[in-house]
Amino acid sequence: MAEVQKTVQTGEMTQRFIEFVMMHAQNAALFLGQIPNPKTGEPEINLDLARMFIDQLEMIQEKTRGNLTNEEATVLRNALSNLQMAYVEVAREMPKGAAQPEAPEAAPSPKPAEQPSPGTPEPSAPLSSAEPETESRKKFTKSYGP
């Protein structure tokens, strides 16, 4: 009887893990423009956010190595490789000038939370805060293409 319960529990956990992986994969696909934004109905491309979800899946793959069932490992491996290939394709298609404005647009949203007083001059604030942020991104980013 205990073996049956353990098998059912393992099956449920496998299903939850696969759902978790697929949720992250869908989020990455959304930001790669493969799935239209539910609010606007238009495809949205944000390579930084797509990379974040892909990197999270890669981290999960590394941290769970040797602890996954064959089914779980296959789903994770396939989702990750498909997303990495899609990322490379989207990054190649985007003009170099268009890829850069996405990072500054994504960066200002945390700034208002950090600086409650909007009285600071706008030109100097983005320049000083964008440089350290770019530096930290350089240290922790990963390239999927050549």
Side-chain angles (χ1 to χ4, degrees):
M1 182 99 163
E3 291 178 22
V4 172
Q5 272 185 323
K6 188 174 182 179
T7 305
V8 170
Q9 250 183 346
T10 303
E12 289 176 8
M13 294 302 282
T14 294
Q15 187 60 36
R16 286 182 190 161
F17 182 81
I18 290 171
E19 288 171 1
F20 176 78
V21 169
M22 295 312 293
M23 180 179 64
H24 269 64
Q26 286 176 339
N27 282 328
L30 172 74
F31 292 114
L32 288 173
Q34 294 179 335
I35 300 173
N37 185 323
K39 290 183 180 179
T40 63
E42 297 292 322
E44 178 180 334
I45 296 176
N46 186 325
L47 292 178
D48 290 336
L49 287 175
R51 182 183 299 171
M52 179 191 73
F53 284 108
I54 293 169
D55 287 347
Q56 287 177 354
L57 285 173
E58 191 172 28
M59 180 230 10
I60 291 164
Q61 183 181 45
E62 184 63 32
K63 291 292 188 177
T64 59
R65 183 161 302 182
N67 293 320
L68 299 178
T69 65
N70 287 336
E71 182 184 12
E72 292 167 339
T74 300
V75 168
L76 181 55
R77 182 177 58 248
N78 290 342
L80 193 52
S81 65
N82 290 338
L83 289 168
Q84 288 171 335
M85 292 298 289
Y87 181 92
V88 170
E89 289 173 13
V90 170
R92 283 183 184 164
E93 290 174 7
M94 289 192 67
K96 289 184 181 182
Q100 295 303 325
E102 299 235 7
E105 285 178 18
S109 56
K111 286 180 201 169
E114 292 172 2
Q115 299 176 355
S117 63
T120 58
E122 290 181 18
S124 62
L127 293 176
S128 62
S129 63
E131 290 173 3
E133 190 170 316
T134 305
E135 271 305 307
S136 66
R137 283 188 184 170
K138 287 180 183 176
K139 293 177 187 174
F140 299 105
T141 57
K142 181 178 284 184
S143 175
Y144 298 113

